[in-house]
């Protein structure tokens, strides 16, 4: 064999091995962590304790789609309706703490019901592990045009001039929107008559019809009526104006401080779920919620993604529970 050819071959092999070595160094190995291996080991069940179609169901399906793609396992949503959400919550409480059975639930079930319901069957801190907040939606104080009220300032002035003459509707006693009204009354130093309904739809219908002049509602539910003039937006219950409705002032801007009430939805796991698995699920949820198509899907329901660390979410639940407990007890609110 020609010595030159042999040398050329050796040189070519040397170049090839050098290139492969460089590629190996430049290309990181995406090894799965123990938590990821645990999550990839079997199917997921996402429990939504409310009917299909609402924000809880939407978020549960975002998670099921994301988890299925991420871990190559089936991920099903179970809508377990009944007992104000407690049937579905109970299933997750009794599930194995391995990250494969998860609960999507609104704020009220975690921060209001423990005080409101005299025989509340769960201890949120002991029975569950908070994973992350998923999304939030602003609330808004609206008025019927027939009331003649154009702003929160006008409402407060009228309520003080004519006490016990104005009323506000809510989806029911102890609902987050009922308590928003009670907090508003307390902070504004006025009195309004509470008119409870069995759900948002009948309450909203009576405000639209002028039977009841006022209502605290979720912004997505009322936005179409605000736009067409069938409702007057008096103020949002957030610290800042909502990107979805930048023309609506906050209540704080109008001199009514301390009425920050946001509808939010969270993700929980059963007790005993390993911290590393909880942290991984929180990271997974944050990445799923940040996807442009998911953000558009949430925006269609008036929600924005609101992922946070498990420790932050746990602290938020404790803080809001304490706030609502004071309001419930001070106002002697009793569940029907």
């Amino acid at each position: 064999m020609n010595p030159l050819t042999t040398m050329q071959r050796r040189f070519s092999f040397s170049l090839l091995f050098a290139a492969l070595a460089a590629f190996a160094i430049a290309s990181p190995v995406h090894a799965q962590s123990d938590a990821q291996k645990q999550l990839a080991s079997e199917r997921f069940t996402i429990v939504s304790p409310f009917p299909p179609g609402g924000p809880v169901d939407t978020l549960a399906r975002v998670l099921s789609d994301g988890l299925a793609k991420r871990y190559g396992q089936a991920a099903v949503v179970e809508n377990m309706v009944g007992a104000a959400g407690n049937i579905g919550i109970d299933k997750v409480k009794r599930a194995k703490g391995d990250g494969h059975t998860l609960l999507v639930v609104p704020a009220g079930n975690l921060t209001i019901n423990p005080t409101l319901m005299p025989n509340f069957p769960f201890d949120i801190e002991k029975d569950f592990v908070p994973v992350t907040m998923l999304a939030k939606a602003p609330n808004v104080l609206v008025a019927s045009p027939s009331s003649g009220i154009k702003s929160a300032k006008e409402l407060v002035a009228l309520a003080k001039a004519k006490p016990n003459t104005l009323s506000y509707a809510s989806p029911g006693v102890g609902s987050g929107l009922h308590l928003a009204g009670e907090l508003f009354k307390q902070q504004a130093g006025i009195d309004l008559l509470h008119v409870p309904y069995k759900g948002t739809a009948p309450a909203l219908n009576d405000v639209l019809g002028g039977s009841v002049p006022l209502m605290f509602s979720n912004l997505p539910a009322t936005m179409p009526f605000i736009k067409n003039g069938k409702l007057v937006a008096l103020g949002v219950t957030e610290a800042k104006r909502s990107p979805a409705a930048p023309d609506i002032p906050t209540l704080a801007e109008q001199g009514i401080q301390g009425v920050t009430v946001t509808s939010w939805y969270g993700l929980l796991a059963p007790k005993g779920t390993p911290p590393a698995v909880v942290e991984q699920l929180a990271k997974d949820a944050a990445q799923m919620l940040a996807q442009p198509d998911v953000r558009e899907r949430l925006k269609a329901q008036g929600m924005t993604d609101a992922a946070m660390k498990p420790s932050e979410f746990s602290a938020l639940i404790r803080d809001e529970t304490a706030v609502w407990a004071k309001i419930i007890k001070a106002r002697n609110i009793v569940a029907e």
Side-chain angles (χ1 to χ4, degrees):
M1 181 178 291
N2 189 323
L4 182 59
T5 303
T6 303
M7 289 179 64
Q8 287 174 331
R9 285 180 178 175
R10 286 176 180 172
F11 181 71
S12 297
F13 279 123
S14 297
L15 288 176
L16 176 62
F17 285 128
L20 289 173
F23 179 79
I25 293 170
S27 303
V29 177
H30 297 287
Q32 282 191 323
S33 67
D34 289 342
Q36 289 171 319
K37 291 177 182 177
Q38 164 74 12
L39 290 169
S41 65
E42 58 182 275
R43 70 195 292 261
F44 295 91
T45 298
I46 320 297
V47 175
S48 167
F50 294 96
V56 174
D57 181 69
T58 295
L59 290 165
R61 294 183 190 282
V62 165
L63 284 172
S64 68
D65 292 345
L67 289 170
K69 291 174 183 176
R70 186 157 298 213
Y71 292 108
Q73 289 285 351
V76 298
V77 174
E78 288 191 9
N79 296 96
M80 303 188 69
V81 182
N86 286 349
I87 291 176
I89 295 172
D90 186 65
K91 171 166 182 169
V92 178
K93 173 189 172 181
R94 298 174 184 278
K96 184 179 178 182
D98 58 7
H100 292 101
T101 303
L102 302 168
L103 173 69
V104 178
V105 69
N109 288 84
L110 306 178
T111 63
I112 294 173
N113 289 359
T115 302
L116 182 71
M117 295 183 171
N119 297 309
F120 190 64
F122 313 109
D123 184 318
I124 299 300
E125 287 201 53
K126 293 181 180 178
D127 295 335
F128 302 95
V129 180
V131 178
T132 185
M133 184 188 291
L134 297 170
K136 62 181 181 178
N139 294 320
V140 61
L141 173 59
V142 294
S144 167
S146 63
S147 71
I149 302 170
K150 300 293 178 60
S151 70
K153 278 186 176 180
E154 287 185 18
L155 165 59
V156 172
L158 182 60
K160 288 182 176 178
K162 297 180 179 180
N164 301 314
T165 60
L166 293 174
S167 57
Y168 76 98
S170 87
V173 173
S175 64
L177 297 173
H178 170 208
L179 296 186
E182 294 301 307
L183 182 59
F184 175 77
K185 287 161 55 177
Q186 174 181 291
Q187 298 303 108
I190 61 174
D191 196 19
L192 302 172
L193 175 65
H194 174 227
V195 184
Y197 288 78
K198 291 184 177 180
T200 298
L204 187 56
N205 284 339
D206 273 8
V207 177
L208 287 166
S211 301
V212 182
L214 303 162
M215 180 180 181
F216 280 90
S217 181
N218 186 276
L219 182 60
T222 54
M223 184 56 77
F225 304 109
I226 293 170
K227 287 182 177 179
N228 65 20
K230 292 184 178 180
L231 288 175
V232 179
L234 305 184
V236 292
T237 62
E238 289 200 326
K240 298 179 181 179
R241 294 194 183 199
S242 169
D247 294 334
I248 303 176
T250 67
L251 293 176
E253 286 178 57
Q254 301 175 74
I256 305 156
Q257 304 294 332
V259 188
T260 305
V261 184
T262 302
S263 293
W264 55 259
Y265 310 89
L267 178 66
L268 282 82
K271 65 180 179 182
T273 304
V277 171
V278 173
E279 293 285 348
Q280 184 61 50
L281 285 168
K283 291 177 184 176
D284 292 338
Q287 291 171 5
M288 293 171 203
L289 294 166
Q291 296 299 313
D293 60 326
V294 172
R295 283 183 166 168
E296 286 300 313
R297 190 172 171 185
L298 299 184
K299 186 178 178 181
Q301 291 205 18
M303 295 186 286
T304 56
D305 57 292
M308 58 178 59
K309 295 178 181 178
S311 58
E312 296 171 335
F313 186 40
S314 182
L316 179 115
I317 292 172
R318 285 195 301 271
D319 291 346
E320 286 203 8
T321 300
V323 169
W324 292 130
K326 289 180 181 178
I327 297 293
I328 292 167
K329 291 171 182 176
R331 297 281 173 173
N332 294 316
I333 299 170
V334 180
E336 292 182 333

